[in-house]
Amino acid sequence: DSLDEFDETLQILLASPVNAEIDSSVSLVTIKDDDESPSISINDASILESAGDSGQATIALSAQSAKPIRVSYSTQIGSATEEDFYQDSGSILFAPGEVSKSIALYIRENDYLYESDETFSVVLSNAENASIDDNTATITIINTDPLPGFEIDILDEKYVNENDEAFNYRVYLDYVRSENPIEIDYRITPSTAENGTDYNAASSGTITIPAR
């Protein structure tokens, strides 16, 4: 057969001799298994960053085995850190005949930071009764925080005195942060006040809010 298994034995018994005596009546025969051990691999996976979300990485054997198979695993940080997911380690046991097992992976709740998708790894090691073909799974945490929204502190009229040297409008983000700088264009449109006579300002420009 092609099933990886332990060596097996049988006995040959001699009995009922005619015109002779039996000196040794039992012979033990060992059938040496020469089938290759299965190999172990682990698949990549993606998990949403949503609060309380979890996912799975699947560990698979290339073939069934008559032997129990054990393999250790551990998570490793990448662009995702311990602030993004829960570290874990342990071992997985395949009973004879089983070919697939899953590891549960847990993500920390939204950090309200608009960011790129991040990754961490699950690494296999110390396989027993099998070899490791693919020892690393890349787990992608898909960002689910919304794009930040712009707000301005005055949405209708703002009053200034003619002798004021300057006045400011404040533009800021809502509660969502961003790991990237954010830009927004503005345009000043004169109504009854004339640029150069009543005020001096560029007619348009760009506001940049640094990453935070």
Side-chain angles (χ1 to χ4, degrees):
D1 57 41
S2 60
L3 184 68
D4 182 46
E5 55 195 346
F6 294 108
D7 294 342
E8 298 170 311
T9 60
L10 59 89
Q11 289 182 332
I12 299 176
L13 303 177
L14 302 180
S16 303
V18 176
N19 299 321
E21 294 182 351
I22 298 175
D23 181 41
S24 178
S25 63
V26 179
S27 177
L28 183 67
V29 178
T30 299
I31 302 174
K32 301 287 290 183
D33 180 66
D34 60 357
D35 297 305
E36 290 187 3
S37 300
S39 60
I40 306 172
S41 60
I42 184 170
N43 71 309
D44 298 337
S46 298
I47 307 173
L48 296 178
E49 190 187 28
S50 305
D53 238 341
S54 63
Q56 292 182 336
T58 300
I59 301 174
L61 300 182
S62 60
Q64 288 185 332
S65 175
K67 301 176 182 178
I69 292 174
R70 186 181 298 274
V71 65
S72 300
Y73 69 89
S74 62
T75 54
Q76 295 185 2
I77 63 173
S79 57
T81 69
E82 293 179 347
E83 295 180 352
D84 302 301
F85 71 97
Y86 292 93
Q87 289 269 32
D88 190 21
S89 62
S91 63
I92 293 292
L93 176 64
F94 291 84
E98 291 184 322
V99 294
S100 181
K101 290 284 189 177
S102 294
I103 301 171
L105 303 167
Y106 296 94
I107 304 304
R108 298 186 186 276
E109 64 183 37
N110 286 33
D111 51 13
Y112 299 108
L113 174 66
Y114 182 77
E115 57 194 338
S116 302
D117 295 342
E118 298 173 311
T119 61
F120 65 96
S121 300
V122 179
V123 180
L124 304 180
S125 61
N126 303 323
E128 299 175 11
N129 296 323
S131 61
I132 297 178
D133 180 47
D134 181 1
N135 73 329
T136 303
T138 299
I139 311 301
T140 301
I141 302 175
I142 299 175
N143 176 67
T144 56
D145 292 305
L147 280 167
F150 283 97
E151 296 181 7
I152 192 168
D153 60 351
I154 300 295
L155 298 180
D156 45 10
E157 291 186 276
K158 184 177 181 72
Y159 295 92
V160 296
N161 295 318
E162 283 189 332
N163 57 354
D164 289 342
E165 293 184 359
F167 69 90
N168 296 312
Y169 267 101
R170 185 166 64 105
V171 176
Y172 56 93
L173 299 180
D174 57 16
Y175 67 93
V176 178
R177 300 171 297 145
S178 175
E179 69 172 6
N180 300 309
I182 296 176
E183 295 183 347
I184 185 170
D185 295 334
Y186 69 88
R187 182 175 69 254
I188 298 174
T189 303
S191 179
T192 58
E194 295 183 4
N195 191 5
T197 302
D198 301 301
Y199 66 94
N200 293 295
S203 60
S204 63
T206 300
I207 296 171
T208 301
I209 297 178
R212 55 175 176 155

